[in-house]
Amino acid sequence: MEISNSNKGLGLFRATGIYVGAILGSGALGLPAMAADVAGPASRVPVGLGSP
């Protein structure tokens, strides 16, 4: 049984997805850190309650 691999390279769609994921991922990690600097321990309360 021979399996053909037609994915030769990254492609525009996948490259765009990786780029957008990197931008949004850094925001998802950076914004809570900035909120913790400003609000202190109170910034963890909304995250613990499950609100956005």
Side-chain angles (χ1 to χ4, degrees):
M1 182 174 187
E2 188 175 324
I3 299 174
S4 175
N5 188 4
S6 63
N7 291 337
K8 295 185 180 184
L10 194 57
L12 181 62
F13 183 73
R14 289 184 181 177
T16 303
I18 291 172
Y19 175 76
V20 170
I23 298 298
L24 294 179
S26 64
L29 296 175
L31 288 178
M34 287 189 284
D37 286 342
V38 173
S43 65
R44 294 186 203 131
V45 173
V47 175
L49 296 175
S51 63

